[in-house]
Amino acid sequence: MKRSKRFLSSLLAVVLLAALLAGCGGKADEPAPAPTTAAPATPASPASPAPAADPAPARGVVEELRVGITKDIEPRSLTSESGSFGRMNYNAFCAGTLLVRDSENQIRPNLMTDWEIAEDGSYIIATFATDQGITWHDGEPFTIDDVIFTIDFMNNVLSSGYMSKVTAVEKLSDTQLKLIIPDHAAYFTLGNSAVFVRVYPKHIWENIEDPKNYVGEEATIGCGPYKLVNVDEEARVMTYEAVGDTYMGRELTVKKVVVRTYDSQDALIMALINGDVDAMNDYSNPISATMLDSIANVPGLDTGKSINQGLFEILFGFNKQPTDDAAFRKAVRLALDYELLAYTIGGEDGQIPGMGIISPASVGHDPSIGKVYRDLDEAAAILDGAGYVDKDGDGYREKPDGTPMDVLVTPQFNKTKAAMYQRLAEIIIANLDEVGIKCTLDEESVRNSDHESALRKSGEYEIVICYSTQGVAYYKTSYLYMFNNPISMWGTCTLPEFDAAYNDLLNALNSEEYDKAAYRLQAINVEECVGIPLAWDMAYYPYRTDKYEGWVNYPGWGVINPETWYNLHPIG
């Protein structure tokens, strides 16, 4: 066995663009130290007394932080990641999470305070904060039995994939467990569980008959630093209060958090401009670059610009023709107008992406891979050579067997990004028309989320325009959406070499193995065009700077994050 926290942090450290971001962090393998009492100083000589140091000025606390979000106030349950409550809990908020990540994407301890992984990745010895006096928000103590229950509950009741590699748990003490991982995926398990895995109170959830749908009062009881104290259904406002002055030895500098739900990002931005809220929290939904002009010159308002890990991409359906054909997929990649796509997605900050898909902001990015480019003549030549020709003279190509070809383009359903998806679909359809590929917009999926979701899960799509979220991109990479495996629920890629490379990434034992697998995936995509990135861009999560200081802007995530609760202070 060897200590591996520094090792894991090395994997998850984001490769930031030097020209855009810089940062430094503390040691990855040490939790934040508890306060200590300084040893008495040696008395100074009476003949030369040392001057007394001026006491450091006391910094104030934030009495009420106001956060805007576009997610509904329902459902309210630890079992849900949707809605305002679920999204706020990505930030180690009301729910107590096992681990958190910092602004450089390094894993940091939280309720799991320490860990060691076996050399072969077959188990983890994990230590938990069950001896620090943490209680659930109903007053019951947080114990090691809650952690054991949580792993079983997630795997066998909720059918969650986060801890699915853990097949057994051995209790070593009241603070320590041995997590058994037979397929040697300990490295993956820690990376996969960071941010998203929260602990469940055994005394509540073991008695719930239908936990996936339970939304009773006890459903929101967590053991994080904040507890839900009020819900105003009419105003769509949820109010949280700090559980005390400190949490796990750190001062909570924010005493109350008021989260208001808005119908749209337009309404949320107006609230920011008017000073009605202090910051926005909208996981995987940064504001569009087209909205920047409305806030660019507003006093006391920062655009919250950071390099984005998430990105828009095309998925190809390997269960349908013609998208199961590599020649067709490569022709599509050559036909797209990437300058227009990059500007549409990212405005002046939009960049033409690399063929390897993975953003420069993400771990595993291969900088040697060239960018995508447009060449209509080359696209036409590939189509001609593969037998996609216009046989009836109507201006559109038929399939090699002579049957009509009409490719369905399905935008992912997303209420916030609906206009963007519509515009991207229009560009893609128009671009493909230029090389004689007839396409039809999947209008039913545009207006019906159930239809779009069912089509994706069935794998019977042809071209899907989707968004790789920051949470997925930072560890699982955007290739998760193409992986033909239940952990994806999207992917249809049947290429054996792709499947092997992605499995190697999931089962990597160290950062070197992870990077090697990620590089292989990118090389495969160059040759096989499993998917197409549409742009690399910036993420914008605006926040106000005229009341508080100490904001930490996580790349692609924003200033509402696990550090907000401990760093924010009134200006002055």
Side-chain angles (χ1 to χ4, degrees):
M1 179 190 299
K2 67 177 178 180
R3 181 166 296 274
S4 302
K5 286 163 65 174
R6 186 187 304 277
F7 211 28
L8 182 64
S9 297
S10 175
L11 164 67
L12 295 173
V14 173
V15 184
L16 301 179
L17 294 178
L20 295 172
L21 297 170
C24 58
K27 294 182 180 179
D29 60 343
E30 294 180 3
T36 58
T37 303
T42 302
S45 166
S48 55
D54 293 332
R59 303 182 71 184
V61 298
V62 175
E63 296 295 340
E64 180 178 289
L65 179 66
R66 298 168 300 173
V67 177
I69 196 169
T70 59
K71 301 302 179 184
D72 201 357
I73 63 171
E74 295 178 342
R76 295 187 293 276
S77 172
L78 285 186
T79 63
S80 176
E81 294 182 23
S82 63
S84 170
F85 183 78
R87 293 304 168 89
M88 285 298 294
N89 279 328
Y90 282 170
N91 303 299
F93 186 57
C94 186
T97 58
L98 290 186
L99 301 162
V100 296
R101 63 185 182 96
D102 65 15
S103 61
E104 296 179 346
N105 260 351
Q106 294 186 8
I107 282 187
R108 298 296 186 188
N110 199 43
L111 293 180
M112 183 189 291
T113 58
D114 197 8
W115 59 87
E116 298 176 358
I117 68 175
E119 289 279 0
D120 64 355
S122 63
Y123 62 86
I124 303 170
I125 303 297
T127 304
F128 300 89
T130 51
D131 58 350
Q132 296 191 25
I134 297 172
T135 62
W136 297 98
H137 298 157
D138 62 358
E140 292 294 317
F142 165 56
T143 71
I144 201 71
D145 289 336
D146 292 313
V147 182
I148 297 172
F149 170 80
T150 292
I151 297 172
D152 177 72
F153 183 65
M154 293 184 70
N155 287 342
N156 299 315
V157 179
L158 299 181
S159 300
S160 168
Y162 293 129
M163 302 291 286
S164 61
K165 300 289 187 179
V166 179
T167 61
V169 177
E170 295 178 12
K171 181 178 178 180
L172 304 181
S173 71
D174 288 340
T175 61
Q176 203 167 63
L177 299 176
K178 183 177 183 179
L179 310 181
I180 308 300
I181 307 167
D183 65 358
H184 308 279
Y187 197 59
F188 165 77
T189 297
L190 288 177
N192 194 38
S193 61
V195 177
F196 302 110
V197 173
R198 70 284 310 268
V199 183
Y200 293 86
K202 178 182 179 181
H203 66 281
I204 292 175
W205 290 97
E206 67 178 349
N207 300 314
I208 304 300
E209 293 184 1
D210 184 12
K212 290 184 179 180
N213 297 307
Y214 177 64
V215 290
E217 290 186 5
E218 292 182 316
T220 62
I221 291 177
C223 61
Y226 292 85
K227 60 183 177 181
L228 179 64
V229 297
N230 187 63
V231 177
D232 187 331
E233 300 272 358
E234 185 175 353
R236 299 205 294 175
V237 171
M238 300 172 69
T239 302
Y240 303 83
E241 291 180 355
V243 296
D245 293 332
T246 63
Y247 183 78
M248 294 185 67
R250 299 183 69 188
E251 180 189 5
L252 289 167
T253 63
V254 178
K255 298 306 177 184
K256 180 190 292 186
V257 182
V258 177
V259 183
R260 181 182 295 273
T261 293
Y262 291 87
D263 288 329
S264 66
Q265 285 192 338
D266 288 331
L268 175 50
I269 292 302
M270 186 56 65
L272 277 163
I273 292 173
N274 293 336
D276 297 330
V277 295
D278 303 307
M280 70 175 289
N281 177 50
D282 209 351
Y283 169 75
S284 85
N285 277 307
I287 68 168
S288 168
T290 60
M291 303 177 74
L292 290 179
D293 287 345
S294 65
I295 62 174
N297 298 311
V298 176
L301 187 61
D302 192 291
T303 62
K305 175 181 174 180
S306 66
I307 188 168
N308 201 359
Q309 299 171 66
L311 53 84
F312 286 96
E313 62 183 349
I314 282 178
L315 306 184
F316 289 108
F318 279 68
N319 296 328
K320 303 281 284 185
Q321 294 180 339
T323 49
D324 63 342
D325 184 355
F328 178 86
R329 298 193 300 269
K330 289 181 180 180
V332 171
R333 185 166 65 189
L334 286 164
L336 301 184
D337 185 344
Y338 295 104
E339 289 187 0
L340 178 58
L341 288 166
Y343 186 81
T344 300
I345 292 169
E348 294 182 356
D349 291 324
Q351 302 173 26
I352 294 176
M355 281 188 278
I357 298 181
I358 296 176
S359 163
S362 297
V363 174
H365 167 68
D366 184 352
S368 71
I369 289 180
K371 293 186 177 182
V372 291
Y373 61 92
R374 190 180 204 207
D375 189 325
L376 296 181
D377 291 336
E378 187 178 352
I382 289 176
L383 291 168
D384 290 341
Y388 297 94
V389 296
D390 178 11
K391 296 180 178 180
D392 58 10
D394 66 351
Y396 290 107
R397 299 173 183 270
E398 276 72 50
K399 295 178 183 177
D401 63 3
T403 58
M405 181 169 66
D406 189 347
V407 180
L408 189 67
V409 176
T410 302
Q412 179 183 350
F413 183 90
N414 183 293
K415 182 179 178 181
T416 304
K417 293 188 173 82
M420 177 62 74
Y421 277 115
Q422 185 84 11
R423 178 58 182 145
L424 294 178
E426 291 171 354
I427 294 171
I428 291 168
I429 290 172
N431 288 167
L432 296 183
D433 188 87
E434 293 183 67
V435 291
I437 297 176
K438 183 179 181 180
C439 296
T440 297
L441 176 64
D442 184 358
E443 295 184 358
E444 183 63 24
S445 289
V446 170
R447 59 177 174 262
N448 186 335
S449 63
D450 291 336
H451 180 272
E452 182 269 334
S453 178
L455 178 64
R456 270 193 293 106
K457 291 178 181 179
S458 73
E460 295 302 307
Y461 57 82
E462 294 173 355
I463 288 179
V464 166
I465 307 168
C466 76
Y467 187 79
S468 172
T469 66
Q470 289 83 352
V472 167
Y474 96 92
Y475 183 78
K476 296 178 182 176
T477 80
S478 300
Y479 290 110
L480 172 71
Y481 297 92
M482 304 153 205
F483 186 41
N484 191 5
N485 185 282
I487 71 168
S488 169
M489 297 186 297
W490 293 53
T492 61
C493 181
T494 55
L495 299 174
E497 61 270 34
F498 178 88
D499 186 77
Y502 197 83
N503 273 298
D504 285 347
L505 181 138
L506 295 183
N507 296 321
L509 294 177
N510 51 56
S511 60
E512 289 79 11
E513 288 189 10
Y514 180 96
D515 286 343
K516 183 178 179 181
Y519 275 43
R520 280 172 55 205
L521 285 168
Q522 291 164 89
I524 290 168
N525 197 60
V526 172
E527 295 301 318
E528 298 289 345
C529 194
V530 180
I532 303 174
L534 300 182
W536 288 337
D537 66 335
M538 299 293 118
Y540 307 96
Y541 287 101
Y543 61 98
R544 299 215 54 105
T545 58
D546 49 359
K547 291 172 58 179
Y548 307 123
E549 59 187 359
W551 297 106
V552 179
N553 189 13
Y554 279 27
W557 194 276
V559 297
I560 301 300
N561 55 63
E563 285 302 300
T564 305
W565 327 125
Y566 308 95
N567 288 337
L568 213 58
H569 294 274
I571 291 175

